[in-house]
Amino acid sequence: MKRAALLLLAGAAAAAAHAGPEYRNVTTGKPLRPGIYGRITVAAKAPPPPVIYAQPVIASQALVPARAQPVYLYVPPGQVRKWKENCARWSACDQAVLFVRVDDSPSRWGKWRERREAQLAMHERD
């Protein structure tokens, strides 16, 4: 029992360290957390957060100045895949965007896959 409690505390500490105070959600004003989407600010001397794509994505055909700093956004996975359709929701169509990756982020794809695999397993038993 004690071992399980220690593992739980270690996991919580690791999660807190991952989303520590160096990354903040501008929308909520709170630290970066899975499932809470928005524009992310990075503390002055903090390393950049992990991103999905190494190069910034620009949804429009606008010319972005070479020295312009990209904005960090944490958005749902479906919006990343169809960024041109969703950039207006974040007021970022004419900006270079780096999508922040949060490893334990909820994903509809993951849940859909779990349901599909459960249904296939049921059909195989019949």
Side-chain angles (χ1 to χ4, degrees):
M1 186 69 112
K2 287 183 182 179
R3 185 178 181 153
L6 286 174
L7 287 174
L8 182 61
L9 286 173
H18 173 71
E22 63 268 1
Y23 311 128
R24 296 196 70 76
N25 186 319
V26 175
T27 308
T28 64
K30 297 181 180 179
L32 175 62
R33 287 188 19 214
I36 308 298
Y37 304 110
R39 198 171 290 244
I40 305 301
T41 59
V42 180
K45 294 187 180 184
V51 294
I52 296 173
Y53 304 117
Q55 297 297 318
V57 176
I58 303 171
S60 71
Q61 298 295 324
L63 294 176
V64 177
R67 289 188 213 112
Q69 292 295 320
V71 295
Y72 288 95
L73 285 177
Y74 175 44
V75 299
Q79 291 186 19
V80 172
R81 288 189 291 272
K82 296 181 179 181
W83 184 237
K84 287 183 181 183
E85 297 172 17
N86 294 289
C87 63
R89 292 181 184 180
W90 305 99
S91 301
C93 292
D94 294 336
Q95 295 179 315
V97 175
L98 288 168
F99 297 106
V100 174
R101 186 185 78 230
V102 177
D103 292 331
D104 48 352
S105 175
S107 169
R108 279 188 249 142
W109 166 249
K111 291 178 185 176
W112 179 83
R113 183 187 300 167
E114 288 172 14
R115 280 188 253 135
R116 182 189 66 176
E117 289 173 359
Q119 287 176 347
L120 289 174
M122 289 177 70
H123 288 294
E124 288 176 2
R125 284 187 241 155
D126 292 339

